[in-house]
Amino acid sequence: MIRQATPEDYDYIISSLNDWWDGRQMVDMLPRLFFEHFGDTSFVAEIDGRIAGFITGFLSQQHTSDAYIHFAGVDPEYRGHGIARSLYERFFSAVTERGRTVVKCVTSPVNGESVAFHRHMGFTVRPGDAERAGVQIHENHDGPGQDRVLFMKNLPA
Ligand SMILES: CC(C)(COP(=O)(O)OP(=O)(O)OC[C@H]1O[C@@H](n2cnc3c(N)ncnc32)[C@H](O)[C@@H]1OP(=O)(O)O)[C@@H](O)C(=O)NCCC(=O)NCCS
């Protein structure tokens, strides 16, 4: 079941986050505000009452055609069953209903699986200022040493 995210979902998700990202330190990148202020465009997948995955995103205020996905993750126990696809598609339809035609997001170059997943989901890599392992990157995009791969996807009208 996919439903809108609520602030009550935050504690479980934040306590699971580093495990879901293979032990990487991710919790600093997902503050509670996403669940308090972006519930209309953030969703969780539930299986037997347990949160199996989530997506948080928002409508860009600056670029009125754009929506932005900040974070998405699926519990390793439930991967490979279409949960991330369902969450992304729910996000795409929510933002399309609100007039958005472009979805953007970023990932770290070290997260090769995320790069492969986003390409598979129809995102293209935006040209950067350097290349690593054949992928265009934006060096220091999120601060010193914080390189990012930038993605975009046009939504069907
Ligand atoms: C990436 C992630 C979200 C995928 O979740 P999932 O529920 O296993 O993905 P799905 O089963 O919905 O897969 C959807 C599609 O993507 C493909 N896919 C999934 N993982 C992939 C990968 N690592 N590389 C390439 N394609 C991938 C699937 O084959 C599937 O294709 P199809 O629908 O055309 O058959 C999950 O592995 C995860 O949470 N990883 C850690 C967190 C992370 O990196 N998040 C993304 C960046 S914020």
Side-chain angles (χ1 to χ4, degrees):
M1 184 187 81
I2 308 280
R3 59 166 175 78
Q4 277 189 351
T6 70
E8 289 69 39
D9 298 322
Y10 182 74
D11 290 340
Y12 179 79
I13 289 171
I14 205 67
S15 66
S16 311
L17 207 66
N18 290 345
D19 290 341
W20 290 10
W21 261 259
D22 281 337
R24 284 177 61 204
Q25 183 62 32
M26 302 302 286
V27 294
D28 295 347
M29 294 171 69
L30 186 64
R32 187 181 293 271
L33 70 88
F34 283 94
F35 292 77
E36 288 186 335
H37 296 285
F38 298 111
D40 283 358
T41 50
S42 298
F43 301 94
V44 299
E46 258 186 12
I47 295 177
D48 297 333
R50 178 171 159 190
I51 294 176
F54 72 97
I55 188 166
T56 64
F58 54 86
L59 308 177
S60 172
Q61 294 194 16
Q62 196 75 23
H63 304 287
T64 55
S65 297
D66 293 4
Y68 186 88
I69 295 172
H70 176 60
F71 246 67
V74 171
D75 184 334
E77 254 187 65
Y78 297 104
R79 287 187 190 162
H81 296 288
I83 291 176
R85 178 174 282 284
S86 301
L87 287 162
Y88 272 70
E89 286 177 352
R90 182 65 178 269
F91 179 84
F92 296 156
S93 76
V95 302
T96 299
E97 277 168 20
R98 292 164 174 81
R100 304 302 162 120
T101 55
V102 178
V103 177
K104 291 180 177 163
C105 56
V106 308
T107 201
S108 296
V110 293
N111 194 344
E113 290 206 0
S114 174
V115 173
F117 167 76
H118 282 97
R119 282 179 153 159
H120 186 86
M121 292 294 291
F123 286 82
T124 55
V125 174
R126 295 163 67 192
D129 49 21
E131 192 168 297
R132 192 167 308 150
V135 179
Q136 289 281 306
I137 64 166
H138 292 243
E139 289 183 313
N140 306 316
H141 181 77
D142 278 331
Q146 300 297 318
D147 304 340
R148 298 288 182 260
V149 180
L150 273 60
F151 295 105
M152 68 169 288
K153 177 183 168 75
N154 291 311
L155 298 173

